[in-house]
Amino acid sequence: MANASGFFTPSVPHFRVRVRPLTAKVVCFGTIEGAHKHASTVFPPQSPIPRLVSKGCKLVGCGSAVPALQISNDDLSKMVDTSDEWISVRTGIRARRVLSGRENLASLAVEASRKALEMAKVDPDDLDLILVCTSTPDDLFGSAPQIQKQLGCKTNPLSYDITAACSGFVLGLVSAACHIRGGGFNNVLVIGADAISRYVDWTDRGTCILFGDGAGAVLVQACNSEEDGLFGFDLHSDGSGGRHLGAAIKENEANNALNSNGSVFGFPPKQSSYSCIQMNGKEVFRFAVRCVPESIESALEKAGLPASNIDWLLLHQANQRIIDAVATRLELPLERVISNLANYGNTSAASIPLALDEAVRSGKVKPGQTIATAGFGAGLTWGSAIVRWG
């Protein structure tokens, strides 16, 4: 339904559809209640073909949640050879939140989602789809169905995880738009939630200073094409850069309880787990400051908008130096940049919706304003979207 160029391409077998860019009305397949009454004016009476409709989508609610436990830079300095000044100067981070006690990722996601639904005035039973953007689910097979259950959705809407690290939320927004425009969905809940602390080596000062846990959610709702709030997007991945940032699977040292008795070499396999995050900070920095501005410029071009039309720049909250470098490249003043990195660190897929929620609830971001947002991270993946709030 969509491709990485930022244009939606509805695809249904045997029918020819004219594809239009995001800035125009989007032609999608869908059904309209009562459409059969007028079918004779569009198709022959015996035709089973549904009417073509134009739909847009808009962001109408947001929410966020973070763990109760706060770990400051001074706290970390008691664990590794670092200091508040060393961390804050190089990253802009002063504290982060970390899961503890009875908290888990699903509980954070549910709290953020309920706030978003409340703002949007949408009941959980009116949801058509729940997208959970996370690389750290509570279960190997994903957290989305459990989050759906905890939200109390009695209609059993489709719920699934999207794994794209720090780019996940942007991919979730685009996916929500595809489902609305091409699938006739009305209310899609997009959640960004990660518990990166589970995969951090807390003795490695190069990575443990960066990450925190959190969740954010946005309700994306169908609307008339004239009200469309997703103007353009640009998505990419490059597996050759995966060596610079990842948490690969590894075999545990201990053998399985089962014994092969030498009958088949290497079987049964050893139990596996994921390693701690490994990152080449310099290479990731170079990648971000080069690719992110290009992606935003591409999305703006597809949207037919100049950078001067951007009210706010909202990037994945990874490093303040990266945020500042991208703003400089786009010639945007720092007062038009949203950043809450100092208080939460890098919360991966949660960082964009978490920062957006704070900016909306504080009155900084107002309905009708245009936001250029971009995510980037492990994979390597990166992508941007030009959206309107409200």
Side-chain angles (χ1 to χ4, degrees):
M1 291 178 286
N3 57 33
S5 66
F7 297 94
F8 287 89
T9 313
S11 178
V12 175
H14 311 304
F15 303 110
R16 300 181 64 184
V17 182
R18 184 172 61 177
V19 180
R20 301 178 181 177
L22 282 172
T23 51
K25 291 183 179 179
V26 181
V27 179
C28 302
F29 284 93
T31 57
I32 301 177
E33 186 176 354
H36 61 280
K37 297 178 181 179
H38 311 286
S40 60
T41 64
V42 182
F43 302 110
Q46 70 275 14
S47 174
I49 303 173
R51 293 183 62 186
L52 298 180
V53 298
S54 296
K55 268 193 176 184
C57 60
K58 57 184 179 180
L59 283 61
V60 296
C62 59
S64 62
V66 294
L69 178 62
Q70 177 174 282
I71 303 297
S72 69
N73 290 346
D74 288 333
D75 293 329
L76 288 181
S77 69
K78 299 172 184 176
M79 301 169 56
V80 293
D81 181 17
T82 189
S83 68
D84 176 65
E85 181 182 10
W86 193 92
I87 298 171
S88 59
V89 168
R90 287 163 176 78
T91 69
I93 301 169
R94 294 191 174 275
R96 70 283 298 145
R97 300 297 184 96
V98 175
L99 284 174
S100 64
R102 296 182 179 179
E103 296 171 322
N104 56 37
L105 192 71
S107 65
L108 292 182
V110 169
E111 181 182 347
S113 298
R114 285 175 174 156
K115 292 176 180 177
L117 291 171
E118 181 180 0
M119 180 184 290
K121 298 180 180 179
V122 170
D123 190 89
D125 287 338
D126 292 327
L127 290 174
D128 301 299
L129 175 66
I130 299 173
L131 301 175
V132 179
C133 310
T134 182
S135 297
T136 57
D138 291 332
D139 187 283
L140 175 65
F141 300 112
S143 288
Q146 290 305 310
I147 291 170
Q148 176 227 69
K149 175 186 176 183
Q150 292 181 41
L151 282 174
C153 302
K154 299 182 180 64
T155 55
N156 297 324
L158 173 64
S159 307
Y160 64 88
D161 288 23
I162 294 177
T163 303
C166 305
S167 305
F169 183 75
V170 173
L171 271 65
L173 280 181
V174 174
S175 297
C178 290
H179 281 285
I180 288 172
R181 289 168 167 152
F185 289 47
N186 289 313
N187 292 300
V188 180
L189 183 64
V190 182
I191 305 167
D194 265 310
I196 300 296
S197 65
R198 294 168 171 170
Y199 301 97
V200 167
D201 179 356
W202 292 98
T203 66
D204 175 15
R205 77 167 186 172
T207 56
C208 76
I209 64 172
L210 300 174
F211 297 100
D213 305 333
V218 169
L219 196 286
V220 184
Q221 191 171 72
C223 63
N224 295 328
S225 58
E226 292 79 8
E227 300 176 278
D228 189 22
L230 174 58
F231 303 131
F233 65 88
D234 181 76
L235 306 173
H236 299 275
S237 62
D238 179 8
S240 66
R243 66 189 186 277
H244 299 310
L245 177 57
I249 199 167
K250 64 176 182 178
E251 290 185 343
N252 294 337
E253 294 298 325
N255 290 327
N256 278 355
L258 294 174
N259 193 327
S260 67
N261 295 320
S263 58
V264 180
F265 179 74
F267 181 84
K270 295 179 180 179
Q271 292 182 344
S272 300
S273 61
Y274 290 102
S275 64
C276 291
I277 292 174
Q278 305 294 318
M279 183 175 69
N280 184 330
K282 290 183 179 180
E283 288 299 326
V284 173
F285 183 91
R286 292 186 185 121
F287 145 71
V289 299
R290 180 183 73 254
C291 293
V292 173
E294 292 176 354
S295 180
I296 293 174
E297 289 169 346
S298 178
L300 283 167
E301 182 180 356
K302 292 158 191 169
L305 296 173
S308 59
N309 276 35
I310 297 174
D311 294 302
W312 298 102
L313 177 65
L314 173 53
L315 303 183
H316 163 53
Q317 307 287 292
N319 185 305
Q320 192 62 45
R321 287 181 172 180
I322 294 176
I323 296 172
D324 293 345
V326 174
T328 299
R329 165 75 177 269
L330 296 174
E331 299 182 349
L332 289 173
L334 294 182
E335 57 266 24
R336 288 164 61 186
V337 177
I338 297 172
S339 176
N340 66 352
L341 177 70
N343 298 323
Y344 303 109
N346 181 342
T347 56
S348 192
S351 74
I352 292 174
L354 173 57
L356 174 64
D357 183 52
E358 288 195 343
V360 168
R361 292 179 185 275
S362 69
K364 180 180 290 186
V365 172
K366 297 176 174 56
Q369 291 189 324
T370 300
I371 304 169
T373 185
F376 51 91
L380 296 169
T381 61
W382 67 102
S384 59
I386 312 301
V387 302
R388 179 173 57 219
W389 172 252

